[in-house]
Amino acid sequence: MKLIKILIIVLFFSTNVLADTIYYLLKIPNLEIIDIKNNNSIKTFKAKKYFKVGIKDNNVECYSPSNLLVKEKQKLIRENIDLYSKVFLNKINLRFIVLCKDLEVASIPALGIPNHPLKTIIVNINTNDYKLSRTIHHEIFHIINDQYKELFDHEKWKKFNSEDFKYQSCSTCADKFGMKLLREKKGFLSEYSQSTVGEDMAETFSFLMIENSELRIKLQNDDHLKKKINFIKSNIQLIDQNFKFIL
Amino acid sequence: MIHKIKQSRSEKILLFFLISLFIFSLGSFFIIKNKCLFIKDHDPKKIKFIHPENIAILRAPCGNVIIELYPNISPNSVKRFKMLIERKEYDNVAFHRVIKNVLVQSGDTEYGKRESLNYAKIGNGKSKYGTINTETDNNFDFGKGTVAMARTYERNSEDTQFFILLKDAPLFEGEYSPVGKVKYGLDVLKKIKYDNKTEYILRPDFIETFRMLRSIN
């Protein structure tokens, strides 16, 4: 029995010997450093080659972005990340951002994916600035939610909606991926926010982290949304009193 | 009557060649076997230190590794590290994780002891002292020779394990608590037993002793 255990250990670790220090930290292959020295200690990487991690329904495929694309988006990414303090990022346990040009999760095209155990968000930068900004904050919320599950009670959240509304059973179960602000729909900010509780929370948080004058107008006549925003804001303040929202 | 037969010139050359070959083979055998042959063993007593109270001496199979600890960078981690050294907890503990020219890791005082080495669990040991918090607030250059506390994938899970970098790893800044830097003897660490196929080592090398300088003076 002991011998079998030893063999398993040897086989398991034998693949890592030639890995680089990036792999030791992120457990993701084929990455290249973009930015590791900044105020809030978030380390940014890009895929230098295509990589695929995970198995079956949880696999993530990331294609390498060109240096030009990374250069174009780097300032925007940094501006968005700089909204979070080092203290806050340490509390939520987010350390790394991986940039891809096109991203697929379980073979479905995606703009971002969080991985809380790996302290990483993977982002598709091959999109417009609005979507990229929103995606970064959206995925960061998933990390927050995973770190502080007890704060973001899903049952409590469901009660903020009208009684006849029901979420989908998964975020990709319906063909609703729109990220634009819905001006008319009460209680929801985007098409995607109607998919699941987690996505609704993440979308709400994401809208609070970007400047949007239309949202201020929408909020004036939407009590469901006001409750949701108060819920997100008050819980985030419990994590870090000094946290600042844009809206 | 016995006739003495004189060696011919070619026989003499052959004999000389064989003897030379034997001496060369014997010499090579000892040179190859002795992995520490060209490694300088630093004597801490012959070196003057600015902060002798922060100097620790790790005795490895090929000699001394002299480490300066930085309590001003990571106060709690250095306090823990010094306490473990002073209690001789690291004596006879394996270098259980060695990645050639990258890092050596040791300090599993539960499963890494020479007398009770547990290959199945080594690297997962816990101490009776509990975990301490990660200290990454101060800037620190994670260059070659950096000594830092190892941890699980979770922050604030540092216990007794530590690693020493054999190459620069700037990515580690902000991730691990630095406790010091190797001042002398990095070559000694490069001779720690490694395996080209696995990070975890069967029949590993051990820390012979680990002492604060003041305790050996």
Side-chain angles (χ1 to χ4, degrees):
Chain A
M1 191 61 193
K2 248 185 177 178
L3 186 70
I4 292 168
K5 277 184 185 171
I6 291 166
L7 278 174
I8 290 168
I9 290 168
V10 168
L11 283 172
F12 179 76
F13 288 105
S14 62
T15 53
N16 297 346
V17 177
L18 297 175
D20 52 21
T21 48
I22 302 176
Y23 185 82
Y24 297 131
L25 283 176
L26 279 86
K27 307 294 177 205
I28 297 174
N30 301 338
L31 297 182
E32 184 181 311
I33 296 169
I34 297 294
D35 175 21
I36 57 170
K37 293 265 181 194
N38 50 64
N39 295 335
N40 50 17
S41 296
I42 280 267
K43 296 177 172 68
T44 312
F45 306 89
K46 73 162 208 166
K48 63 180 173 190
K49 279 196 281 184
Y50 162 85
F51 71 77
K52 185 175 184 177
V53 288
I55 47 164
K56 284 189 175 174
D57 293 343
N58 293 318
N59 69 46
V60 174
E61 288 177 86
C62 166
Y63 296 83
S64 170
S66 67
N67 288 336
L68 186 69
L69 183 63
V70 172
K71 206 176 169 187
E72 266 176 36
K73 302 291 183 184
Q74 208 174 340
K75 190 171 170 246
L76 180 76
I77 294 165
R78 181 50 37 208
E79 280 169 0
N80 281 291
I81 295 300
D82 281 347
L83 296 173
Y84 302 90
S85 69
K86 185 178 176 180
V87 173
F88 184 75
L89 292 172
N90 272 341
K91 282 182 178 175
I92 65 167
N93 217 8
L94 176 65
R95 315 290 303 162
F96 314 113
I97 298 182
V98 174
L99 311 180
C100 306
K101 174 193 161 284
D102 300 332
L103 175 70
E104 287 181 16
V105 180
S107 302
I108 299 169
L111 284 175
I113 177 96
N115 192 318
H116 180 249
L118 296 181
K119 299 172 275 187
T120 304
I121 58 170
I122 304 176
V123 180
N124 176 4
I125 60 169
N126 193 21
T127 186
N128 64 42
D129 289 359
Y130 170 77
K131 282 186 178 173
L132 179 57
S133 300
R134 288 257 288 98
T135 301
I136 290 170
H137 301 300
H138 180 106
E139 301 310 334
I140 288 177
F141 181 79
H142 283 307
I143 299 282
I144 299 170
N145 194 10
D146 286 341
Q147 182 76 359
Y148 291 94
K149 283 197 177 84
E150 71 287 353
L151 285 182
F152 299 95
D153 185 341
H154 284 206
E155 293 309 312
K156 210 172 177 179
W157 182 269
K158 281 179 189 169
K159 286 177 188 160
F160 297 145
N161 294 320
S162 56
E163 282 179 15
D164 55 339
F165 178 79
K166 271 194 177 160
Y167 287 105
Q168 305 291 322
S169 54
C170 73
S171 60
T172 52
C173 292
D175 202 11
K176 288 182 174 177
F177 301 117
M179 292 174 75
K180 274 187 186 167
L181 179 72
L182 297 174
R183 291 196 189 93
E184 306 302 324
K185 180 85 182 172
K186 295 269 183 197
F188 295 96
L189 287 167
S190 68
E191 207 178 42
Y192 192 45
S193 66
Q194 296 165 65
S195 57
T196 64
V197 175
E199 300 305 343
D200 194 5
M201 285 182 184
E203 281 292 272
T204 308
F205 175 82
S206 170
F207 270 104
L208 295 175
M209 295 307 292
I210 57 164
E211 185 50 55
N212 192 328
S213 53
E214 283 180 76
L215 177 58
R216 290 178 197 274
I217 297 163
K218 181 180 165 81
L219 260 179
Q220 287 168 2
N221 301 310
D222 194 332
D223 289 337
H224 295 291
L225 210 51
K226 276 182 192 168
K227 283 178 191 166
K228 287 181 176 178
I229 287 175
N230 284 339
F231 179 85
I232 294 286
K233 282 191 170 180
S234 57
N235 282 323
I236 295 287
Q237 299 287 342
L238 287 177
I239 299 169
D240 183 358
Q241 286 181 29
N242 300 318
F243 190 89
K244 286 190 175 59
F245 291 93
I246 297 297
L247 192 86
Chain B
M1 185 157 174
I2 299 167
H3 283 281
K4 273 191 178 175
I5 302 168
K6 224 180 171 186
Q7 276 181 319
S8 68
R9 191 184 165 88
S10 56
E11 280 172 335
K12 276 181 185 169
I13 291 170
L14 186 67
L15 183 70
F16 177 74
F17 176 75
L18 286 172
I19 292 169
S20 304
L21 190 68
F22 177 73
I23 293 168
F24 180 75
S25 306
L26 204 68
S28 301
F29 175 77
F30 284 110
I31 287 167
I32 290 165
K33 210 180 170 193
N34 184 0
K35 65 177 182 179
C36 306
L37 198 68
F38 299 112
I39 301 300
K40 189 175 178 188
D41 189 7
H42 297 273
D43 183 354
K45 289 175 187 168
K46 291 180 181 167
I47 304 168
K48 248 194 160 178
F49 298 100
I50 300 169
H51 298 290
E53 71 281 8
N54 289 327
I55 300 295
I57 320 294
L58 184 154
R59 181 82 195 162
C62 285
N64 288 325
V65 181
I66 302 174
I67 298 164
E68 181 173 4
L69 304 177
Y70 300 131
N72 53 336
I73 302 281
S74 311
N76 286 331
S77 306
V78 171
K79 193 176 162 194
R80 163 65 63 98
F81 201 59
K82 274 187 176 177
M83 180 271 283
L84 292 163
I85 293 170
E86 281 157 0
R87 294 188 180 191
K88 300 179 182 173
E89 294 272 10
Y90 288 133
D91 290 9
N92 294 310
V93 171
F95 288 100
H96 65 272
R97 184 171 177 241
V98 185
I99 306 165
K100 187 188 174 189
N101 294 329
V102 178
L103 61 82
V104 295
Q105 187 168 329
S106 179
D108 185 341
T109 54
E110 188 178 17
Y111 299 121
K113 285 272 184 187
R114 197 191 296 264
E115 63 274 18
S116 55
L117 199 63
N118 186 332
Y119 285 117
K121 292 180 179 172
I122 198 163
N124 297 310
K126 291 186 176 88
S127 77
K128 59 187 174 191
Y129 307 109
T131 56
I132 56 170
N133 287 349
T134 309
E135 290 177 294
T136 50
D137 287 342
N138 291 314
N139 292 337
F140 190 84
D141 171 28
F142 270 70
K144 202 187 320 187
T146 294
V147 185
M149 296 302 283
R151 58 171 167 82
T152 67
Y153 218 68
E154 293 293 319
R155 285 173 78 82
N156 307 326
S157 59
E158 285 83 351
D159 193 344
T160 58
Q161 287 189 53
F162 64 94
F163 64 85
I164 304 175
L165 289 177
L166 304 179
K167 73 176 236 188
D168 297 347
L171 265 183
F172 285 8
E173 188 183 341
E175 305 305 321
Y176 297 100
S177 312
V179 290
K181 222 158 212 178
V182 174
K183 290 288 162 188
Y184 303 92
L186 206 60
D187 286 347
V188 170
L189 294 171
K190 288 178 182 167
K191 292 292 172 183
I192 300 290
K193 189 182 174 190
Y194 62 86
D195 188 318
N196 283 322
K197 291 192 177 70
T198 170
E199 291 178 19
Y200 286 77
I201 310 299
L202 291 172
R203 294 189 208 96
D205 282 341
F206 291 84
I207 295 173
E208 290 174 9
T209 58
F210 206 170
R211 299 283 183 272
M212 293 305 295
L213 178 66
R214 60 171 180 244
S215 71
I216 52 175
N217 273 335

